[in-house]
Amino acid sequence: PKHADSHHNKGNALYAGRRFSEAVGPYTTAVTLAPTDGETYFRLGNTYDKLSQHSAAAASARRGHA
């Protein structure tokens, strides 16, 4: 989980810098390493939404609530 946190934090930094397409990778890695982390799924979903990838955003949101 700690390794997942570093990827989550990198995704947050990229998202904050409006580098949405670059933030997808770290968030995806984080949820792979910590598949029960609802917050990261939420942030990944928001990132997909910013990229107008609404079906991916919805899928991420569903996984975050599972």
Side-chain angles (χ1 to χ4, degrees):
K2 290 208 182 274
H3 191 62
D5 289 344
S6 66
H7 290 283
H8 177 100
N9 292 338
K10 183 175 182 179
N12 287 347
L14 291 166
Y15 185 96
R18 303 187 57 79
R19 294 165 60 185
F20 306 120
S21 61
E22 293 175 58
V24 170
Y27 285 143
T28 301
T29 300
V31 296
T32 300
L33 295 171
T36 60
D37 184 0
E39 181 182 347
T40 303
Y41 277 111
F42 174 77
R43 292 181 181 270
L44 178 58
N46 284 345
T47 303
Y48 280 131
D49 193 55
K50 292 287 188 181
L51 295 169
S52 297
Q53 295 181 20
H54 304 295
S55 61
S60 184
R62 282 192 300 275
R63 288 175 133 171
H65 290 289

